[in-house]
């Protein structure tokens, strides 16, 4: 068995990973510099692709050979048909997704190669979110890991409680993770049910955090001030950037991961989702420690930036083992 087949067989031996959230249509322009006021900047590369946090994580994990399922609302409009076709072509399961008649969320994205920044204008028009009734139709025994997006906390907490109740009756428990980059106060109650939580730098605008370490220290204090029963202490992954990822273990110890830089910069759209996916893959599929999984996540996220999209990511599995 060659190296690639061995890697894929490791992923095939694991239960399915489900990602709960939204799928969007992204219209992307790659420019050398952001246009000046009232000026037109020509794009060297422009294309449309399926996007969305949960949707992208599914794509990346599937490229790494993981059995994945997307769980979110899909619509029957012609635009959404391409989203579903792309998922099917890639082997991403979506058969449990509820349907609607509304047009899907979309984003206008400008990637500035000079500053290595991405500008996103998102439009979701209050697009529907899956309900608890939709979630109850799932056979939870199918899944080994469920990753939630930190949004719609009034619905998400019901889903997490259902998974937690299921875990109370099982020896082979489902791992629960969540990532969010906004509304820390509103989403904070969801942390009580998570094994792993991914925090983003975008929260610094809301909290005033100046670094991943400062964020972890503050989060540690918030975790220690909780009171109640059966609350989990999650492992924290703080993604300040793809080069600066901080970890906080279950005892509140801060760990700085190895920093990598891309050999060349082409496209960083979706790089944060690559960090999350790389961590899940390293920890869940390869059975590595959180520190090693986070190092791999940073490495693979920087590698992602050397080309457009996510389809080149599996190539990194052919280089040194984790």
């Amino acid at each position: 068995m060659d190296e690639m087949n061995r890697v894929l067989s490791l992923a095939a031996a694991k239960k399915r990973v489900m990602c709960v959230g939204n799928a969007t249509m992204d219209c992307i322009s790659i420019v050398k510099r952001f246009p000046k006021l009232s000026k037109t900047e020509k794009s060297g590369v422009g294309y449309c692709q399926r996007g969305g946090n949960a949707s992208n994580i599914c794509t990346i994990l599937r490229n790494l050979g993981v059995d994945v399922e997307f769980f979110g609302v899909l619509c029957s409009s012609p635009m959404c048909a391409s989203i579903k076709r792309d998922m099917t072509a890639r082997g991403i399961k979506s058969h449990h997704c509820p349907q609607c008649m509304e047009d899907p969320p979309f984003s206008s994205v400008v990637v500035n190669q000079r500053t290595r920044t991405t500008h996103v204008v998102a439009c979701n028009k209050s697009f529907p979110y899956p309900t608890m009734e939709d979630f109850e139709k799932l056979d939870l025994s199918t899944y080994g890991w469920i990753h939630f997006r930190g949004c719609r906390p009034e619905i998400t907490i019901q889903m997490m409680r259902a998974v937690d109740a299921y875990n109370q009756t099982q020896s082979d428990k489902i791992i629960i993770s969540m990532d969010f980059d906004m509304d820390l106060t509103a989403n904070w109650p969801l942390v009580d049910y998570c094994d792993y939580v991914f925090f983003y730098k975008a929260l610094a605008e809301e909290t005033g955090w100046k670094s991943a370490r400062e964020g972890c220290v503050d989060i540690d204090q918030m975790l220690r001030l909780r009171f109640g029963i059966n609350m989990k202490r999650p492992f924290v992954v703080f993604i300040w950037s793809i080069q600066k990822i901080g970890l906080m273990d279950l005892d509140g110890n801060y760990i700085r991961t190895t920093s990598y830089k891309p050999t060349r910069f082409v496209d960083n759209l979706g790089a944060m989702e690559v960090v999350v996916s790389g961590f899940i893959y390293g920890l869940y599929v390869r059975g590595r420690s959180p520190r090693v999984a986070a190092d791999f996540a940073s490495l693979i996220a920087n590698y992602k930036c050397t080309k457009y999209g996510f389809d080149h990511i599996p190539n990194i599995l052919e280089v040194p083992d984790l």
Side-chain angles (χ1 to χ4, degrees), residues 59 63 90 308-315:
T59 299
N63 278 341
R90 292 177 176 275
Y308 298 113
F310 304 118
D311 289 342
H312 61 290
I313 285 177
N315 297 337

Side-chain angles (χ1 to χ4, degrees), residues 148-165:
F148 293 91
R149 177 70 170 145
C151 62
R152 302 297 295 270
E154 72 283 359
I155 299 175
T156 302
I157 198 167
Q158 296 178 47
M159 298 178 183
M160 287 183 170
R161 285 170 176 164
V163 179
D164 184 65

Side-chain angles (χ1 to χ4, degrees), residues 15 143-145 163-164 166-176 195 232 284:
K15 284 187 175 182
Y143 310 102
W145 190 305
V163 179
D164 184 65
Y166 170 84
N167 281 342
Q168 299 303 319
T169 67
Q170 305 292 319
S171 57
D172 186 13
K173 301 183 186 301
I174 299 171
I175 299 171
I176 301 174
D195 299 289
K232 289 183 179 178
Y284 180 59

Side-chain angles (χ1 to χ4, degrees), residues 98-110:
Q99 306 287 317
C100 77
M101 298 299 294
E102 299 182 30
D103 288 335
F106 67 91
S107 296
S108 301
V109 182
V110 178

Side-chain angles (χ1 to χ4, degrees), residues 224-238:
R224 295 180 186 277
L225 288 174
R226 297 180 303 167
F227 60 91
I229 59 174
N230 299 325
M231 293 188 302
K232 289 183 179 178
R233 166 87 190 209
F235 192 99
V236 171
V237 181
F238 202 116

Side-chain angles (χ1 to χ4, degrees), residues 235 247 279 282-283 286-295:
F235 192 99
L247 309 177
F279 184 85
L283 195 75
R286 304 302 294 272
R288 297 318 197 242
S289 68
R291 169 62 189 272
V292 174
D295 283 349

